[in-house]
Every structure is written in C-alpha cells, then in structure tokens.
Amino acid sequence: MYSPYGGQQNPPNAQSQQGGQQFHQQGPPGSSGGYFPPGQQPPPQQAPYGTPPANQFSQGFPSQEQGGQYGQQQGAGTPGIGGVTSEMGAMSMGGEPAVSRPGKKKNRHAYHDLNQNTGQAQSSDGMPSGPGTPQFMNQPGTPHFMGQPGTPRFHNQQMTPEMNQFPAQGGNYMPGQRPRMGPSHMSGQDVPQGTGVTTQGRVDPEQIPSVPRSRDGPAQYYLTHNYLTVEQHVPPPAAVSYTAYDQGNSSPKYARLTLNDIPSTAEALNSTALPLGLVLQPLAPIAPGEYPIPVLDFGETGPPRCGNKFVCNMCTFPNDVPSEYFAPTDMSGVRVDRDQRPELKLGTVEFTVPKEYWSKEPVGLRHLFVIDASREAINRGLLQAFCDGVLHALYPEPSGEKMEGESEVERALPEGSRVGFVTFDRDAHFYNCSAGLSEAQMLVMPDIEDPFVPLGSDGLFVDPYESKTVISNLLKRLPSLFTNVQNPEPALLSALNAAMDSLATTGGKIICSISSLPTLGPGKLFMREDKNLHGVETEKKLFQTENANWKRTAAKMVEIGIGVDFFIAAPGGAYIDVATIGHVQAMTGGETYYYSNFVMPRDSLKVTQDVKHVITRETGYQALMKVRCSNGLQVSAYHGNFQQHTFGADLEFGTIDADKAIGVMFSYDGKLDAKLDAHFQCALLYTTASGERRVRCTNTVASVSEGAASCMRFIDQDAVVSMVAKDAASRMTERTLKDIRNAITEKTIDILAGYRKAYSSQHPSGQLVLPENLKEFSMYTLSLLKSRAFKDGKEYSDRRTHTMRLIRSCSAQTLTLLLYPQIISLHDLEPEAGFPSSETGHLVIPPSMRASFARVQEGSAYLVSDGQICLIWLHASVSPNLLEDLFGEGFDTLQSLPADLNALPVLQTHLNAQARNLLSYWGSLSGKAAPPIQLARQGLDGAEYEFARLLVEDRNGEAQSYVDWLVHVHRGVQMELSGQRNKKEREAVEQEGALAGLRAMGW
C-alpha cells in the first residue's frame, strides 16, 4: 500500500502496484500534504527529548527513565486489581492450539472445497497456482497480489512478544488455521493452562486479553500476505487493513458471518448463546490491489436466476439450464467454462439489468445541496465551512502534472452526475447555475406552508464541470450574501419538501446543513430535552420522533428514491432534536454528521473533509435489498438505516453508500443438512452514480456441523460484537437504557458460560475460560456499555441518538474502532516508525497502546483516534523539544499552542513527518485524508474529557474498569455453573420488569 521514498524499488505486491497512498520523507514549506518528495534523505532523528521541566503536575510521579506509570500513584487502572485478588485468584485465559477443519461429507452445491490443502492450492507468493486468471469486462489488467516468492509464512516465523496475545504462552498468529477448542475431552489432548494470574496470585493486566495486541499481529502479517476467502475462511480483524482474494466466497469486507461453521440445529446453536447473523456492507470500498467487482451484461434476459434447471445452492431445486447458457462439464462435474464466467467463480459480482427492473429511467446521481443560511449558521461559521467543503470536494487541487491527452479537469463525480444548490432561512432560495450565465441567479420560494420549485430541473441541476465558474463564484459569495439578512428561524422541513419535489422524477441525494433548532413552518420543532427524563422509563421518547410531518416526508423520500445526509452543528452543545431531524436520514439510508460543540475555525477542516467524503464515496440510489439463505434457515430481523413496510418485504433505501452496513439475524425453520454447506446471498438492486441500473450479488458460504463444538473454532468476533451492538441500538426506542445494559451484560455471561459448560469442563471451576476467538469479546461489550448510546448517567439525548444510529448502520471496522480507539505514543517512537520500510516498502506502524491511564507516562504525547475524533494528548510536563519538533519553532510550551489547531504544520523534522504519516495512514483505513486533529493539553483543554472517555479500560462514571468487569462476568459464569443465576434472574425480573422480555426477544 505504501511506496518507499527515495530511489528504492516498490515491492511486487498489489497495493504498491495500484498506486496506494504514498508516504514520503520531506515536503516543501507551506504545502498541505503530509509527505516528503522522493530523492531526499529523511530529516535526522532528533536527539532524545530532555527532562521535562518541573511544575505542579510533576510531583509524585516516577521518572520516565524508570518507566513509571500514573496508575501506581493515582490508582487509575491498576489499583482496583489488589481489591479483587480473591475473586480473580484462579482466573485464566485459555489459549488453544490449532487443528484442521473437519472434512465435508458432500460438496455438491459449491465449486470450491473448504477442506482443500492450502499447501497445494497456492504458490509460494500466497496466490493460487494454475492457469491464467480470467479477465473481466471492467478490469484493466491483473494486479499483483501480496507475498513475494521465498517470503516465509508468518506462522513459520518466531512470534515476538508484541504480537503475542499472552506473552507467557508464546502462541503463534495463524490466519486461516482453525484454532482448536479448549476442552481436551474433544480431542484427547491436554488443554494448556491460562496465564492470566501471576505466581503471587495477583491479576497481571499484561496477561488479560489485549485488543491492541490482537490487532497488531494480524496487521503485520497482512502487510505481506493476502486473505484468501475460501482457504482461510476465518476473517482478519475488522480494524486491520488487508487485501482479499475472492475464491468464490465473498470478501469479509462485503459480508461477515458471526459463525463460519454453523450448527445443524437450533438447539445446538442455543447452547452457545451466540447470535447467527450476517454483517453486510455491499458497497464496501475496494482496497488498492484488489480486483474490481466484475460487471456482467446478459442483455434483455437479465441475470441467470434460480428456476432454469440447475441445482440451486439456496433452495436445492433442480431446473433446466437455458440452451444459450449451456456448457459441458469435465470429469469432475465442473463446467469447462467456469474460469471464464465470474458469476460461477467469484463470490461478489454485479449484473446490469433490463428495463423490467427499472422503477425510473436511470440517470446520473443528482446531488442537491440544501444549505442553512440562517443567523446561527452565519455567525457560527457553518455556512462558510460547508461552502468551503463543497468547493474543495467538487474541484480538488490538481494532484500533479497532467499526462498528454489527459483531461484538464479532475472529476470528483462520475460522468452524468449533476449538482444543484438551495439555501434556506425562513424562505427557500433556488439557484440557476447554467453554464451560459455570468453568475448564478437566485429565485426565492417564500411559501413555506405549501412549498414549490420555482426553477426547472435543467437550470437547477447542472454539470459541475461545465458550470465550474458559476458554481465556484456562488460558493464563495454565499457566506457574505446573507450577512445583512440573518433570519433567526430556519424553516428546514419546508426546504426539504421543496428539494424533494425537485427530485421527484429522478431520485437523488440531498446534502443538508443545519445549525439551530428549526422552529418555523410545517414540522417546526420544540425543545424536548429534559434532564428530569434522563434515566427514567420515558427517556426513550427522546430517541425517536413523534412528529407526523417528518415521518411523512421520510416515507415519501424513500418511495421516490432520495437519501439525505445531514451536517448538524450544535454550537455550545445546543439542542437541535437529532432524533426528529435524523429520522429522515435513518429512514432514507443516509448519514448524520453531528458536531456537538462546533467551533470555528477548529472544526472547519473536519466539516470540509466530511463533505468531500460524502460527495466522492461510492453511492447508489433507488435501492432494494433481498437476503436469501439455505433451506432450514430464515431471516428473523434486520438492523440498519432503511425502510421495510412489512417483515419479509424487501429493504428499501433512498440511497446506500460504501460506509453503510446492514445486520441480518437468522433463525432456524428446520434442520440443516450437515453433508452440505449453508449459503447466504445478498442481492442489492440499485442505480449507480453514473446512471446504470445494476444488481450486486454477494455470496457467502459456511460449513455445517452436527453439533456446536466445531462452530466455536470459526467464530468471527467482530461480527458477533456488531450484531450484539446493532440489536441493542435497535431497542433504544423500545426499552429503557438500564434494561439494555442489563441485557448486554447477560448476553456476555451467557456466551462465556455456554462455552464454559460445554467445551471446557476439565478446567477448574474457579477459572474464567475464554474461547480462543472471543478473547477480547468482554472488552468490546464493556466498551459498548460505556458508549454514549448506552452509558449510565447524564448524557444529552442528541448525542445518545446520534451514536445509536451510527452503531446501527456502521461497518464492523467503524464499530470496533469506535469501541476501542487506536493510541500511539509520539514521545518514544523508533526512528524508522512512520516511514516506509526499506525492506518491504510498507509504512512501519508502531505498536498501539492499551486504552488505560495507567499506561500514560510523564512527559508523554499520544495520538488517539476512535475513527470519529482524533486527539493529540500532551502531558503537562511534555518536553519543549518535542513540542517544537512537532509544532514548530516558538511553540515550546503548552500555553503557546493555538487552541483551535486542526492540522499539523509541515516541518523539516523527523517527528513531525512521522506524526503526519501516521495520521495519513489512519485516514487511508477509512478512505479519507489525514484526519483533523484536536489538542487535548493536560489541564488546559476541554478535549481532555474526550481523552478520558476514550480510555475504555479504566473506571469512568458508573462503569467498571476492565479488570473489575472480568471479575463481574466471572461471577456470573460461576453462578450459572452452580445453578444460582436463574434465581437471581427471577428476582431481577420482579424488580425491573422488562428485562426477561428483552432477552427473550432476540438475545
């Protein structure tokens, strides 16, 4: 993914060949990028930072040279350990060695073998050997995949302590290998003892499961290896960057099953307490080096469908094959043209569809920008920031010199796309931006009770590159255009209804900004926030809308094929009723970007980057989704942003984009055949941004076993966490937060107790034994309880609602980072960290730090990101040398740093280049530029509270620390094993009422 600097050669892998993001060594002063041009040597490593100056914060702390930690003095993180020694004295985290996958008795429905020998199926570079790779109609060529001849496989190398989950055990990370379940009675082998307890009987935090270690090992492995979707079959962690090779089973980027080996009966699944679910992200972005999704055109007949005389792997119904699709088979029963037919060979393909699949004539996606021009938007700077974001998104700065014959205009939108502009305060203003005009013409729509469109679509929607001059001038003028008007009350719903009417014949996307509570016109909103409702039964009313006007608008938009993205800025944390405004976004498949304490100019860069991401990411509209599964299973629930009129009907989306994920729960309506695989298919019918009607088919396969023992080896932890979180978020409008927190806790105990009872019976009863593939599950559920959506204590309803909807619709990658942030120390970076490796060409990423204040050192500096916010936390005693190397000459104290800093300057220092490259790497994981930063200076900035909130392993508020949480879970497991838990549950039901009903409804 990362090309080296200077004159070094790129490694022969997919990501470097595909022009992935580059990290160089030096940049000209004043440039905005975080890179260094080739050919120059990196800046020399600075001398070690001096001893921090003494001040009121430094007393009582051990010196940095001695490796001291705050927790030893202040009790953050570790002090709770001593008080729970008796509870955790016998606790262990069991690790298990690997075994091979059980062989299938019959594989008649799939042309791949889940039991194939990986040593024979691939060459030394990790790629399948055999005849040439087929070329698809939209593939320019065959990319080179990762892995070099002669490169040793990761699991044949010595595991370093940093990569090991439990340092004392020294186990290896082996992707694709099936970890053996703990109980020795299943294999006749002894189960290795856990190492969660030291010989003194105290809990060693280093030996409890660590999320950073679980990410760092796979991240290093997948820098030089591909993920093979059939041979490995157990996905990498969602937070890890990897290149997937489709072998007939869809990439985990598109579909992640909670269980990749499924029990044949409901009883066997219930014994594990695990959810059977599928996390779908059908338009997930393609990583550099991966094949583009092939697009197949079968003409007027459309895609081949079940019902034509072949054995369908879903319904097992045999049908005749159409003559035009017929091909002979070889001696093994495989079609001779299989390698030339992507729909038979790959897990994810797209088909163009005939007119019978059209609801409207397909046209390029129309983006309509509905911009708040009220007084609050002007005075607070949202109008300026939003216009700047649209301008930079539509017309990015040239990326370099143009090649001969290349267009002078760098298009951010595909051919056929159109844009339009509307501003609103108490009136709505439509703009004619036709290319023949010298400047845009404004037409005012004053009737907010019965809004209409005063401008024809030919003038409202224009090609952004033909009308570049007109649009650029308009966006630059808008912030000053309303300076002398400043109406305080925005009529938001009237503007949205007028915008909807302008898109009625085509569908499209509305991108809207708002900075104050809309209190004018139909659907005007009122202050509903009431602190007296926090923590009581009626609090759930704050998380949903009861306004009929907003509900009607949302339903009509979905019917037309319109999606809405909101940019909501709340200066000073003012109430804006995200529950009501965001209802339109949630129903239409859109997204809300919520800035809970918007400040200019600090947040201007973040708005600009978010607007650009919304405009440029892959987006489809007028979408319908159908999920199918094998006989014996049925869909029981969906979770996400969509509309479904009746259960069993197709899911409807106004728009769906690359960041959106849907959670699908399954239940049994029969018994699965253990001789056959279980198959799952997601069919998404949508119109592309370029105006082509397609259906994307995502196919996933899982093996089937008679019992649940084998299934525990094939758990996808991130998918399990996603399904539990999405299920919980979907219930916030039905149940109290206390009930939901209890349900999450009980679910955690149920899963661990189910494993303990059935599959680790030889361990002493006092040990907490964690499944190999669920070692970090307890940490993720604790983080879920601490999230803004579910946390105990006071929290504004706007923040809760926004987080709830984000969890419900986000991908597994976004969720895992949201629940456990990335933390990298800047004060002790190795010289090579943050630069491309001279051996592999990949960026050297330093190990992450655990999210606990006990790990914070005196005089330290940290990069912290949960994917939504990025902080630079600076200790009060941080070295002046470090500050100058990071921020520039003259910034040698915390007080000298500007509080509204949102990006690192480009300096000729080693540390500055390291930090900018690491930020660019984090941005590349989500397809964005380097994330904007926010300073969190100890004792100075309010962002310190955000930093404390992100330290999820520590006790904060009413939530427990990680160690205390494991003790609590361990008690619950012990009570379940001894039969006492049911009595406690009955007492809880009598006291709390609805908990039992909540758990029975899907937990």
Side-chain angles (χ1 to χ4, degrees):
M1 183 179 297
Y2 312 103
S3 61
Y5 59 86
Q8 301 169 0
Q9 297 293 323
N10 284 336
N13 59 52
Q15 297 188 3
S16 63
Q17 293 291 336
Q18 291 296 318
Q21 187 162 3
Q22 298 181 355
F23 300 89
H24 298 302
Q25 292 287 345
Q26 203 156 353
S31 63
S32 59
Y35 317 117
F36 287 91
Q40 299 188 18
Q41 294 298 320
Q45 171 67 25
Q46 304 296 319
Y49 301 113
T51 304
N55 57 43
Q56 69 273 24
F57 295 100
S58 62
Q59 296 182 1
F61 298 120
S63 66
Q64 185 173 354
E65 289 79 2
Q66 296 174 339
Q69 297 178 339
Y70 288 119
Q72 296 173 354
Q73 279 74 26
Q74 294 185 351
T78 56
I81 296 173
V84 297
T85 301
S86 59
E87 295 293 339
M88 301 289 286
M91 178 179 172
S92 85
M93 314 296 165
E96 300 90 1
V99 297
S100 60
R101 183 175 184 146
K104 303 301 296 177
K105 298 179 181 178
K106 193 173 183 181
N107 290 294
R108 75 176 188 186
H109 293 317
Y111 287 118
H112 58 266
D113 183 5
L114 295 183
N115 201 36
Q116 57 191 310
N117 187 323
T118 59
Q120 299 176 354
Q122 66 187 53
S123 61
S124 61
D125 65 350
M127 291 300 298
S129 58
T133 307
Q135 299 296 313
F136 306 139
M137 61 186 298
N138 64 339
Q139 288 185 238
T142 304
H144 300 281
F145 279 78
M146 294 182 194
Q148 304 177 41
T151 301
R153 304 296 288 178
F154 186 91
H155 53 266
N156 291 331
Q157 301 175 3
Q158 180 66 34
M159 173 71 84
T160 65
E162 290 79 8
M163 301 157 102
N164 182 21
Q165 177 65 49
F166 296 108
Q169 289 183 259
N172 292 338
Y173 171 71
M174 295 179 289
Q177 303 298 316
R178 278 50 174 187
R180 182 179 63 82
M181 287 175 41
S184 58
H185 70 270
M186 295 179 56
S187 60
Q189 302 177 9
D190 292 335
V191 180
Q193 296 298 315
T195 58
V197 184
T198 65
T199 55
Q200 288 80 15
R202 297 174 63 87
V203 178
D204 184 357
E206 291 292 340
Q207 295 183 350
I208 62 177
S210 166
V211 172
R213 287 191 190 127
S214 71
R215 294 172 178 173
D216 289 346
Q220 292 299 317
Y221 175 83
Y222 285 108
L223 284 177
T224 54
H225 297 81
N226 296 313
Y227 173 74
L228 308 179
T229 62
V230 168
E231 295 179 20
Q232 295 177 215
H233 205 52
V234 177
V240 169
S241 176
Y242 60 94
T243 299
Y245 178 71
D246 191 338
Q247 297 179 305
N249 191 28
S250 285
S251 165
K253 297 175 183 179
Y254 302 117
R256 299 182 77 108
L257 275 168
T258 55
L259 297 172
N260 292 285
D261 185 87
I262 301 174
S264 59
T265 63
E267 292 75 15
L269 179 66
N270 292 338
S271 69
T272 69
L274 289 165
L276 178 55
L278 182 65
V279 181
L280 291 166
Q281 191 180 355
L283 297 183
I286 298 173
E290 292 181 342
Y291 286 121
I293 304 301
V295 181
L296 311 175
D297 189 352
F298 285 85
E300 292 300 322
T301 60
R305 295 179 59 93
C306 175
N308 292 324
K309 195 94 184 179
F310 45 82
V311 177
C312 173
N313 60 347
M314 293 288 176
C315 65
T316 70
F317 189 78
N319 297 291
D320 288 327
V321 177
S323 58
E324 65 273 11
Y325 198 69
F326 176 81
T329 58
D330 60 20
M331 291 186 296
S332 61
V334 177
R335 288 174 59 119
V336 296
D337 65 343
R338 178 173 177 259
D339 284 343
Q340 285 71 49
R341 290 197 174 274
E343 73 274 15
L344 302 180
K345 185 178 178 62
L346 301 179
T348 304
V349 293
E350 280 197 335
F351 302 91
T352 59
V353 295
K355 291 185 178 180
E356 62 188 85
Y357 292 88
W358 297 3
S359 56
K360 293 181 175 69
E361 181 77 23
V363 297
L365 181 60
R366 299 191 171 190
H367 299 78
L368 184 58
F369 298 95
V370 180
I371 305 172
D372 182 6
S374 63
R375 182 174 62 191
E376 195 73 12
I378 297 170
N379 294 340
R380 296 292 186 173
L382 178 64
L383 178 58
Q384 178 73 59
F386 191 79
C387 289
D388 289 345
V390 176
L391 187 62
H392 287 91
L394 293 179
Y395 311 114
E397 296 181 1
S399 56
E401 294 184 4
K402 298 293 182 182
M403 302 295 292
E404 184 177 352
E406 189 175 355
S407 173
E408 292 296 326
V409 178
E410 185 174 343
R411 297 187 66 97
L413 298 177
E415 294 281 354
S417 296
R418 297 289 186 269
V419 298
F421 296 90
V422 176
T423 56
F424 70 95
D425 42 27
R426 63 180 302 111
D427 304 319
H429 322 99
F430 290 74
Y431 296 87
N432 184 347
C433 295
S434 298
L437 299 174
S438 59
E439 63 179 19
Q441 297 176 344
M442 177 197 291
L443 289 86
V444 180
M445 192 279 296
D447 190 352
I448 61 176
E449 296 295 333
D450 187 17
F452 62 93
V453 182
L455 181 64
S457 61
D458 291 341
L460 180 59
F461 294 102
V462 297
D463 187 303
Y465 304 100
E466 293 178 359
S467 302
K468 178 179 179 180
T469 302
V470 178
I471 293 174
S472 298
N473 292 336
L474 173 64
L475 292 172
K476 293 174 182 178
R477 289 179 53 219
L478 278 180
S480 59
L481 193 62
F482 295 91
T483 303
N484 298 324
V485 181
Q486 297 200 10
N487 289 312
E489 297 180 300
L492 175 58
L493 187 59
S494 297
L496 289 177
N497 285 331
M500 178 177 63
D501 290 343
S502 69
L503 292 167
T505 59
T506 61
K509 187 179 189 70
I510 295 173
I511 303 174
C512 177
S513 66
I514 182 70
S515 60
S516 59
L517 189 69
T519 56
L520 190 67
K524 60 182 178 181
L525 302 179
F526 305 92
M527 180 69 177
R528 295 197 298 154
E529 182 74 42
D530 185 353
K531 293 183 179 180
N532 295 325
L533 295 179
H534 293 177
V536 301
E537 175 73 23
T538 53
E539 183 180 14
K540 59 180 178 285
K541 293 182 178 180
L542 299 176
F543 311 141
Q544 55 188 313
T545 182
E546 297 177 352
N547 193 303
N549 292 318
W550 287 84
K551 290 182 178 180
R552 280 195 299 269
T553 296
K556 190 172 181 181
M557 284 186 173
V558 178
E559 181 182 350
I560 295 172
I562 301 172
V564 184
D565 288 341
F566 283 109
F567 287 79
I568 301 178
Y575 178 73
I576 297 187
D577 200 349
V578 173
T580 298
I581 297 175
H583 175 77
V584 176
Q585 160 258 313
M587 295 296 292
T588 62
E591 186 168 357
T592 294
Y593 291 86
Y594 178 57
Y595 309 93
S596 59
N597 185 25
F598 182 80
V599 176
M600 280 286 286
R602 185 195 67 192
D603 295 323
S604 60
L605 180 59
K606 183 168 178 58
V607 172
T608 297
Q609 289 194 4
D610 288 342
V611 171
K612 181 175 182 179
H613 182 65
V614 163
I615 294 174
T616 57
R617 67 185 172 189
E618 182 177 5
T619 302
Y621 68 107
Q622 296 179 12
L624 297 173
M625 178 185 286
K626 182 74 173 180
V627 178
R628 302 178 177 89
C629 54
S630 293
N631 286 339
L633 296 174
Q634 62 182 355
V635 175
S636 60
Y638 293 100
H639 304 296
N641 287 351
F642 55 80
Q643 178 172 280
Q644 187 180 30
H645 291 291
T646 59
F647 186 76
D650 294 344
L651 307 186
E652 300 179 40
F653 305 83
T655 58
I656 185 169
D657 58 65
D659 297 332
K660 296 300 176 294
I662 306 298
V664 187
M665 293 288 291
F666 299 96
S667 61
Y668 289 78
D669 62 357
K671 181 179 179 181
L672 295 174
D673 189 346
K675 300 177 183 179
L676 306 175
D677 292 329
H679 294 265
F680 304 85
Q681 183 185 77
C682 166
L684 177 69
L685 176 65
Y686 72 106
T687 303
T688 66
S690 59
E692 189 173 18
R693 194 71 170 161
R694 296 179 184 175
V695 59
R696 176 170 293 195
C697 292
T698 303
N699 302 284
T700 306
V701 63
S703 56
V704 179
S705 299
E706 288 289 354
S710 175
C711 305
M712 302 300 293
R713 312 173 194 176
F714 303 98
I715 299 172
D716 183 340
Q717 177 174 254
D718 293 322
V720 173
V721 171
S722 291
M723 293 310 303
V724 170
K726 290 178 185 298
D727 197 0
S730 297
R731 299 180 186 279
M732 280 186 61
T733 59
E734 305 169 2
R735 305 290 181 182
T736 66
L737 293 175
K738 183 177 181 181
D739 288 347
I740 295 175
R741 287 192 296 269
N742 288 339
I744 294 173
T745 302
E746 294 300 311
K747 188 65 175 177
T748 305
I749 295 173
D750 286 342
I751 291 175
L752 298 182
Y755 177 81
R756 187 69 178 81
K757 285 190 295 186
Y759 310 116
S760 58
S761 57
Q762 291 193 353
H763 285 83
S765 60
Q767 289 185 345
L768 174 61
V769 183
L770 304 179
E772 175 67 23
N773 289 349
L774 288 174
K775 288 201 293 283
E776 297 79 31
F777 178 69
S778 298
M779 182 65 251
Y780 280 122
T781 55
L782 174 61
S783 297
L784 193 62
L785 294 174
K786 294 181 177 183
S787 70
R788 282 201 166 109
F790 308 114
K791 61 176 288 191
D792 195 7
K794 305 296 183 182
E795 185 63 79
Y796 290 114
S797 63
D798 279 352
R799 286 184 172 183
R800 284 200 191 272
T801 305
H802 170 66
T803 307
M804 174 264 287
R805 287 179 175 149
L806 175 64
I807 291 174
R808 201 170 63 185
S809 64
C810 71
S811 65
Q813 180 193 54
T814 300
L815 180 63
T816 54
L817 292 177
L818 182 69
L819 295 181
Y820 199 101
Q822 303 171 100
I823 304 178
I824 293 178
S825 60
L826 295 176
H827 57 278
D828 57 0
L829 285 176
E830 297 293 334
E832 64 275 8
F835 291 112
S837 168
S838 59
E839 298 178 357
T840 66
H842 296 291
L843 199 73
V844 177
I845 306 299
S848 302
M849 189 187 82
R850 295 180 70 154
S852 172
F853 200 68
R855 310 290 171 142
V856 174
Q857 297 180 355
E858 183 182 7
S860 55
Y862 297 96
L863 278 178
V864 187
S865 175
D866 66 349
Q868 308 301 310
I869 186 174
C870 184
L871 304 175
I872 295 185
W873 187 85
L874 300 169
H875 188 271
S877 301
V878 67
S879 165
N881 294 339
L882 184 148
L883 292 177
E884 289 197 330
D885 287 346
L886 194 58
F887 300 105
E889 186 176 353
F891 298 106
D892 56 356
T893 65
L894 294 185
Q895 291 77 8
S896 65
L897 295 173
D900 57 3
L901 185 70
N902 57 22
L904 288 176
V906 179
L907 305 177
Q908 306 288 331
T909 64
H910 197 90
L911 179 64
N912 179 271
Q914 288 177 303
R916 287 186 289 111
N917 281 344
L918 291 172
L919 287 171
S920 295
Y921 168 75
W922 280 357
S924 69
L925 294 178
S926 56
K928 301 179 182 179
I933 62 169
Q934 185 173 345
L935 291 183
R937 299 168 293 177
Q938 188 180 31
L940 294 176
D941 295 315
E944 258 211 292
Y945 291 101
E946 285 294 311
F947 178 66
R949 182 182 66 84
L950 295 177
L951 299 179
V952 290
E953 292 196 16
D954 293 341
R955 177 189 297 274
N956 48 44
E958 299 297 323
Q960 298 169 309
S961 69
Y962 187 16
V963 171
D964 291 344
W965 170 247
L966 287 176
V967 172
H968 178 73
V969 170
H970 184 41
R971 287 174 180 167
V973 171
Q974 287 183 313
M975 292 174 63
E976 178 69 22
L977 295 177
S978 63
Q980 300 178 15
R981 184 161 165 249
N982 290 336
K983 179 181 178 181
K984 294 288 185 181
E985 282 186 354
R986 287 195 296 270
E987 293 174 355
V989 170
E990 292 175 359
Q991 295 176 2
E992 300 171 7
L995 178 59
L998 175 67
R999 296 184 66 242
M1001 289 179 64
W1003 290 69

